[in-house]
Amino acid sequence: MLSKIARVGLVLAFATQCLGQNVSPGIPAEEAAALSSVVEDEPDMVALRKGDESPKLTLYQKALPIPPQAQVKYKITNPVTGKEIWYYELEIKPFTQQIYPNLKAARLVGYNGTSPGPTIIVPKGQESVVRFINNGDRESSVHLHGSPSRAPFDGWAEDEMFPGQYKDYYYPNYQSGRMLWYHDHALGITAENAHFGQAGAYVVADAAEDALGLPTGYGKYDIPLVLTSKYYNSDGTLRSSKGEDQSLWGDVIHVNGQPWPFFNVEPRKYRFRILDASLSRNFDLFFVRSSATSTRLPFQVIASDAGLLERPVQVTDLKNAVAERYEIVFDFSKFAGQSIELRNDHDLDIMTDDDYDNTDKVMKFVVSGTAVTDTSKVPAALRTVPYPPPSTGVDHQFRFHRSNGEWQINGVGFEDVANRVLAKVPRGKVEIWELENSSGGWTHPIHVHLVDFKVIERNGRGVEPYESIGLKDVVWLGKNEVVKVEAHYGPWNGLYMFHCHNLIHEDHDMMAAFNVTQLTTLGYNETTDFADPVDPRWAARPFTQSDFTSRSGPFTAQTINDRVQQLAREQPYSELDQVEQALEQAWANGTPTKRSVEECQKGGPVPRYRRFQV
Ligand SMILES: [Cu+2]
């Protein structure tokens, strides 16, 4: 172990190096001060090529599982809009999965006892309430990643639901078509919960997208590919992530929960919705023929985190970091009777992930020899992307760094409650944030809740073509990368998280918050209705197993109906159009200022039935 004196010496030596580090002009003074005092640990991690740690598995032995589609349990009328709200229930519970034929089954804990959890598919504009029931081992909090949910439904890390509790999450789904995903976000144990199964896909289907003629049919020609990377113990059980405080790379690559699966396909076009749900591993994906593995095959990227790109981008590899979603179309028509492999490259200029014997392989596609008619197509134009209005300068600069063994943002971790709100953005403002990884020893995929952002600049390799013509909610900071992103901070006010999505980093403690504050000039008495992510009105509630199994107490159709209608009467989403108009008006009238706490309190108690006076 390094002696304390030697450590101090190292820190001092490095501190000298840090002085004069890039601090963007125009950022708040306290932010500049915090940035200049950040002292980073010296990078001591390099990507390694290692022999496998898990027991051996033969590749491409089992078929790709398709996560089941979640079924709507009740359709409940929204008493304000008259429209339906789709109500789902997902139970967090243990189950087993036989990964190794001759070893023990792995015990997992996932949504409805599957991993990935059931895929929720809702049409654009269809509100939903998902009741999560915790019959697992530990506390959970559920984040619908990519959804502009109100703060109490956003999976704030401290808004926990303990075993024996349930919570109703209300989602707006007004966005354009895209693949979101729901996953655990509980304080300090997000990695372990996600690792053991708490993640699933959530698709907003969009008629505008359907009209394009892309390959369709969930599980048929429109296929989710949820990637994860894990280690197994010698007895076949899943190795815990507990105790890991740097990264859990994993040596077994899974797709939809199955290690290195195969998938039988027809010689035609398929749409694949790729999500990297690993704890730490990032991918650089490419396709080859099994018979010619040195030649990469072209494919088209059609969508990213926030849905369709402006137009398809043809590539021969795709960098997909943790939590990023990319949708691609691969055309198997030229490969009838052959097999195609999806592989993973390791770009040493960008990545620091450790490699193992088979982490360069992902899955195999077995292409049928029988010709088929394929009427699907990939149009040259996909959509007009709703970019935020252009802005200039840098509003905030956030350095993602390691200091004294802690993963932090500008010297702060999430447990530093007094200092963790790093930005107070006036509601509806467009801001440019500079996100920085000044280390060559690690990389960080950064996720900002609530907003879709445009990646406008990256040093070094630049903005990838498939990043620049769509909107994102995660951006990957590779080695020594600085990225600028631009977002419109609305439509809601409230406290939201932003963090590294390497879940080991996130838990230890590379996460902070931003507060979208109210405006003085908006002219309505909206106090704190949905701004507080731990508002007790929407917190998890206890239940008894007998009520759950016999559908009594909070589980009768009537009580569920009443509860969902109670949520809807508070109108978390139904006044979206008015809100957006009011925000636009306020900003057009000049520079709105934040509303003070005193002013917010003048209006008296929080009204139970909020009304905007626009
Ligand atoms: Cu990180």
Side-chain angles (χ1 to χ4, degrees):
M1 206 181 121
L2 208 56
S3 77
K4 206 167 184 181
I5 293 169
R7 267 175 195 274
V8 171
L10 271 180
V11 165
L12 287 177
F14 200 63
T16 327
Q17 243 178 296
C18 285
L19 291 175
Q21 268 183 354
N22 162 49
V23 174
S24 289
I27 62 170
E30 65 274 17
E31 201 165 293
L35 276 163
S36 349
S37 63
V38 165
V39 178
E40 296 205 33
D41 293 354
E42 284 198 273
D44 54 358
M45 283 175 273
V46 285
L48 298 172
R49 174 141 209 117
K50 297 175 168 176
D52 282 352
E53 296 180 20
S54 303
K56 288 282 180 198
L57 274 166
T58 311
L59 275 54
Y60 314 135
Q61 295 301 297
K62 289 195 177 170
L64 175 78
I66 303 294
Q69 187 177 339
Q71 298 304 308
V72 184
K73 196 166 180 71
Y74 299 114
K75 292 184 175 177
I76 296 166
T77 305
N78 181 326
V80 178
T81 65
K83 293 183 184 166
E84 280 177 354
I85 300 170
W86 287 3
Y87 171 87
Y88 296 86
E89 268 181 22
L90 292 176
E91 183 189 4
I92 299 166
K93 64 176 179 184
F95 64 104
T96 57
Q97 187 187 16
Q98 194 75 42
I99 295 291
Y100 292 91
N102 302 313
L103 297 174
K104 274 193 204 165
R107 179 183 182 276
L108 304 178
V109 178
Y111 304 115
N112 279 13
T114 66
S115 175
T119 301
I120 295 177
I121 304 178
V122 292
K124 177 186 169 175
Q126 172 61 61
E127 292 184 343
S128 63
V129 168
V130 186
R131 174 170 292 187
F132 287 91
I133 296 144
N134 192 349
N135 273 325
D137 302 333
R138 293 178 290 272
E139 61 271 31
S140 292
S141 174
V142 187
H143 172 49
L144 180 55
H145 183 132
S147 166
S149 308
R150 288 288 197 157
F153 311 120
D154 193 52
W156 178 259
E158 288 158 323
D159 177 29
E160 290 164 325
M161 170 183 28
F162 284 81
Q165 294 186 325
Y166 69 94
K167 170 157 168 149
D168 296 320
Y169 288 81
Y170 191 174
Y171 300 127
N173 309 319
Y174 59 72
Q175 299 159 295
S176 52
R178 63 186 65 191
M179 182 167 85
L180 307 94
W181 60 304
Y182 60 103
H183 66 80
D184 187 70
H185 219 299
L187 187 68
I189 54 168
T190 291
E192 187 77 345
N193 280 348
H195 196 49
F196 277 77
Q198 288 178 49
Y202 188 112
V203 174
V204 175
D206 190 336
E209 208 176 287
D210 296 343
L212 294 173
L214 294 161
T216 58
Y218 176 77
K220 196 155 194 245
Y221 303 120
D222 179 351
I223 311 290
L225 300 179
V226 181
L227 311 180
T228 49
S229 183
K230 306 178 178 191
Y231 299 108
Y232 289 89
N233 298 311
S234 54
D235 65 356
T237 57
L238 182 61
R239 191 200 289 179
S240 167
S241 67
K242 281 184 193 157
E244 178 58 69
D245 62 5
Q246 299 204 346
S247 284
L248 188 146
W249 300 121
D251 58 1
V252 177
I253 306 293
H254 308 61
V255 189
N256 298 346
Q258 173 60 46
W260 297 292
F262 70 84
F263 186 48
N264 290 325
V265 294
E266 297 168 15
R268 53 159 288 153
K269 290 187 280 301
Y270 280 75
R271 175 181 186 163
F272 296 108
R273 301 178 189 249
I274 304 169
L275 156 67
D276 180 3
S278 304
L279 296 197
S280 304
R281 181 172 293 286
N282 309 291
F283 290 86
D284 187 357
L285 299 165
F286 64 97
F287 290 86
V288 293
R289 277 183 288 172
S290 298
S291 57
T293 56
S294 54
T295 306
R296 296 181 179 199
L297 304 170
F299 58 99
Q300 288 177 296
V301 185
I302 57 164
S304 62
D305 304 339
L308 291 175
L309 307 179
E310 289 177 30
R311 55 186 179 276
V313 179
Q314 184 166 306
V315 295
T316 52
D317 79 301
L318 170 69
K319 290 176 178 65
N320 198 322
V322 178
E324 284 188 301
R325 286 89 69 211
Y326 281 107
E327 299 182 27
I328 64 168
V329 172
F330 190 90
D331 190 349
F332 294 100
S333 62
K334 284 187 230 143
F335 308 107
Q338 301 186 42
S339 76
I340 302 291
E341 289 173 30
L342 179 61
R343 295 210 168 189
N344 178 30
D345 195 5
H346 191 149
D347 188 337
L348 284 169
D349 292 337
I350 301 167
M351 312 170 73
T352 58
D353 307 33
D354 286 350
D355 282 333
Y356 293 89
D357 291 347
N358 289 308
T359 49
D360 59 342
K361 301 179 189 74
V362 178
M363 65 180 292
K364 184 162 104 172
F365 300 89
V366 181
V367 189
S368 145
T370 312
V372 294
T373 307
D374 179 8
T375 54
S376 70
K377 56 181 192 283
V378 182
L382 295 169
R383 71 158 172 162
T384 304
V385 174
Y387 296 117
S391 182
T392 53
V394 172
D395 296 280
H396 287 286
Q397 186 181 347
F398 298 119
R399 185 173 302 150
F400 296 79
H401 61 96
R402 185 173 171 89
S403 295
N404 299 315
E406 283 286 299
W407 299 104
Q408 295 182 327
I409 308 170
N410 288 9
V412 166
F414 197 72
E415 66 180 18
D416 185 354
V417 175
N419 297 303
R420 70 187 178 191
V421 181
L422 292 185
K424 293 174 184 161
V425 187
R427 185 177 191 179
K429 188 174 175 224
V430 177
E431 291 208 336
I432 292 176
W433 289 12
E434 184 172 289
L435 311 172
E436 179 186 351
N437 171 27
S438 47
S439 169
W442 38 77
T443 79
H444 307 292
I446 305 305
H447 173 42
V448 184
H449 287 228
L450 180 68
V451 297
D452 295 337
F453 54 69
K454 181 169 167 60
V455 183
I456 53 177
E457 195 180 306
R458 180 192 275 114
N459 62 345
R461 67 174 154 131
V463 181
E464 302 286 351
Y466 42 79
E467 288 177 306
S468 65
I469 56 167
L471 287 165
K472 308 257 309 139
D473 54 47
V474 180
V475 70
W476 191 17
L477 308 184
K479 289 154 83 167
N480 292 304
E481 284 185 350
V482 182
V483 175
K484 281 184 194 163
V485 298
E486 185 198 29
H488 190 201
Y489 285 81
W492 320 125
N493 60 324
L495 193 59
Y496 290 89
M497 300 172 285
F498 71 105
H499 57 90
C500 177
H501 222 294
N502 177 330
L503 296 184
I504 305 289
H505 295 184
E506 174 182 333
D507 281 345
H508 294 91
D509 184 38
M510 195 176 257
M511 181 156 76
F514 62 98
N515 187 1
V516 179
T517 59
Q518 298 188 75
L519 305 179
T520 49
T521 47
L522 211 51
Y524 58 79
N525 183 24
E526 188 194 39
T527 52
T528 58
D529 264 12
F530 288 95
D532 177 2
V534 291
D535 186 330
R537 289 177 296 164
W538 317 116
R541 297 171 164 201
F543 69 95
T544 62
Q545 288 306 325
S546 58
D547 275 346
F548 180 49
T549 49
S550 63
R551 306 300 298 180
S552 52
F555 298 100
T556 66
Q558 188 60 51
T559 49
I560 290 167
N561 183 82
D562 293 349
R563 175 66 176 163
V564 169
Q565 291 197 330
Q566 183 199 2
L567 282 166
R569 279 194 199 93
E570 297 281 346
Q571 301 199 69
Y573 306 115
S574 56
E575 289 172 307
L576 175 71
D577 294 344
Q578 295 95 308
V579 167
E580 285 188 330
Q581 267 176 32
L583 283 170
E584 231 166 83
Q585 194 61 53
W587 285 93
N589 290 347
T591 307
T593 46
K594 286 178 261 189
R595 206 167 166 183
S596 69
V597 174
E598 296 72 37
E599 251 182 297
C600 292
Q601 287 167 346
K602 269 187 214 159
V606 177
R608 299 294 292 181
Y609 301 101
R610 176 174 54 78
R611 278 284 158 208
F612 286 106
Q613 284 119 38
V614 180

